Amino acid sequence: MAIFKGAGVAIVTPMNEDGSVNYEQFANLIEFQIANKTDAIIVCGTTGESSTLTHEEHLDVIKYCVEKVAGRVPVIAGTGSNATDTAIYLSTEAEKMGVDGLLLVSPYYNKATQNGLYAHFKAIAESVKVPVILYNVPSRTGCNILPETVVRLCKDVENIVAVKEASGNISQIAHLAAIAKGCVDIYSGNDDQIVPIMSLGGLGVISVLSNVAPEQTHMICQNYLDGNVQEALKMQLDAMDLCNALFCEVNPIPVKKALSFMGMIDNNLRMPLSRMEEATSARLEKAMKEYGIL
């Protein structure tokens, strides 16, 4: 059974000016998401700036999220690392906190062969019992999890059940769907490809857009799942300018700026990320107004 269907938000981690986590704003974001029909919350992923959190902070944020959500929607924790032992540690601790699933990014910087990826993900998944979603984002990691490796892992390891596909390569994703024959749950990792990937059998999206438009993103997926394909397509196309604006600088710079435009968080990031440039900020604000969320 799928961990979730629909739109799961890759939620940001709000921060104070001194760089500490702002839990009051985080609580408000969680309530905003649940009130606006988000289907799952993915905490401490790329959008949550997990790479700049200490291990203690990483686990504190996951624990807080699980407790605040209190079972109302699934909570999936990003616990991947380029060090297998670190990923095992974060994953086993997150499982103790009651997460509904884990999101494991492919190893970055040191990368790995396909056999190395297989061994890495197998070792992490076998250290826990909760379901695991693989996360393929080669533009960030320099490491592409090939469809054959995804299928091999899902067949060989009982709790590896899905992949967040953010390669942007529709041909690769189509090949994955063809050879998986239903053994892999596929989620779009790109907001501009929700409907295309769902047309290949995908179950939804792990979304940046959902941070600012949770109900709309949910409805793109729900319309598709309900068979209202033309309405889902229209909603997908209507969101394209905003999707592009949310990635006109490296994620999560624009989405944090967008949430600050909405008055929901302070626009603070951890270095090496910096605040949005004036020109791209104006582009984002314009897209938000045209989409009707400002």
Side-chain angles (χ1 to χ4, degrees):
M1 184 175 176
I3 302 175
F4 76 96
K5 293 183 180 181
V9 62
I11 199 164
V12 306
T13 304
M15 293 173 181
N16 296 303
E17 193 171 356
D18 65 1
S20 59
V21 176
N22 188 320
Y23 284 101
E24 181 180 354
Q25 291 180 356
F26 191 42
N28 291 338
L29 290 183
I30 291 169
E31 295 304 326
F32 171 69
Q33 288 295 320
I34 293 173
N36 286 279
K37 301 184 180 178
T38 207
D39 296 294
I41 293 177
I42 294 81
V43 61
C44 290
T46 303
T47 312
E49 294 176 80
S50 58
S51 59
T52 61
L53 298 175
T54 66
H55 293 169
E56 182 180 24
E57 288 172 324
H58 196 134
L59 294 171
D60 284 348
V61 170
I62 292 169
K63 184 173 186 288
Y64 185 88
C65 186
V66 170
E67 291 175 351
K68 189 69 179 173
V69 171
R72 290 175 288 175
V73 296
V75 173
I76 298 157
T79 54
S81 171
N82 65 332
T84 306
D85 286 347
T86 299
I88 289 172
Y89 166 68
L90 293 173
S91 297
T92 54
E93 291 299 309
E95 182 178 44
K96 293 173 190 174
M97 294 167 182
V99 299
D100 299 285
L102 302 174
L103 181 70
L104 300 180
V105 71
S106 55
Y108 40 86
Y109 187 70
N110 49 4
K111 306 192 286 187
T113 64
Q114 294 302 306
N115 283 336
L117 290 173
Y118 177 87
H120 171 80
F121 287 124
K122 185 173 186 287
I124 302 165
E126 288 181 342
S127 73
V128 295
K129 291 184 171 60
V130 291
V132 166
I133 302 173
L134 308 175
Y135 180 14
N136 190 34
V137 58
S139 65
R140 282 187 179 265
T141 65
C143 187
N144 187 25
I145 315 172
L146 293 179
E148 290 78 7
T149 303
V150 174
V151 171
R152 182 183 173 201
L153 282 161
C154 286
K155 286 183 174 179
D156 290 356
V157 186
E158 185 177 5
N159 60 326
I160 298 180
V161 298
V163 63
K164 175 185 176 182
E165 243 299 344
S167 67
N169 185 339
I170 289 292
S171 295
Q172 175 171 303
I173 298 164
H175 177 56
L176 168 62
I179 66 173
K181 302 187 186 304
C183 78
V184 181
D185 291 338
I186 302 172
Y187 298 98
S188 176
N190 293 324
D191 288 307
D192 61 352
Q193 295 183 338
I194 301 170
V195 169
I197 288 176
M198 292 188 77
S199 77
L200 295 169
L203 298 184
V205 62
I206 295 177
S207 171
V208 174
L209 176 65
S210 283
N211 279 281
V212 296
E215 185 168 3
Q216 295 93 325
T217 315
H218 161 81
M219 286 309 302
I220 293 172
C221 298
Q222 194 60 54
N223 273 312
Y224 196 96
L225 292 167
D226 290 343
N228 302 321
V229 175
Q230 288 304 312
E231 182 59 25
L233 176 58
K234 180 182 183 300
M235 292 187 74
Q236 169 81 88
L237 297 177
D238 287 346
M240 289 298 285
D241 283 348
L242 180 55
C243 291
N244 291 333
L246 285 169
F247 287 88
C248 66
E249 289 192 28
V250 68
N251 179 49
I253 292 172
V255 73
K256 277 198 153 181
K257 181 65 173 177
L259 285 166
S260 73
F261 279 140
M262 296 169 73
M264 301 191 71
I265 67 169
D266 296 324
N267 185 30
N268 297 317
L269 303 109
R270 283 196 180 172
M271 291 176 67
L273 298 184
S274 57
R275 291 185 178 180
M276 207 168 184
E277 301 291 336
E278 187 174 336
T280 46
S281 178
R283 173 186 171 184
L284 175 63
E285 185 176 19
K286 180 174 181 287
M288 292 175 73
K289 286 178 177 177
E290 289 177 350
Y291 193 66
I293 56 174
L294 268 189

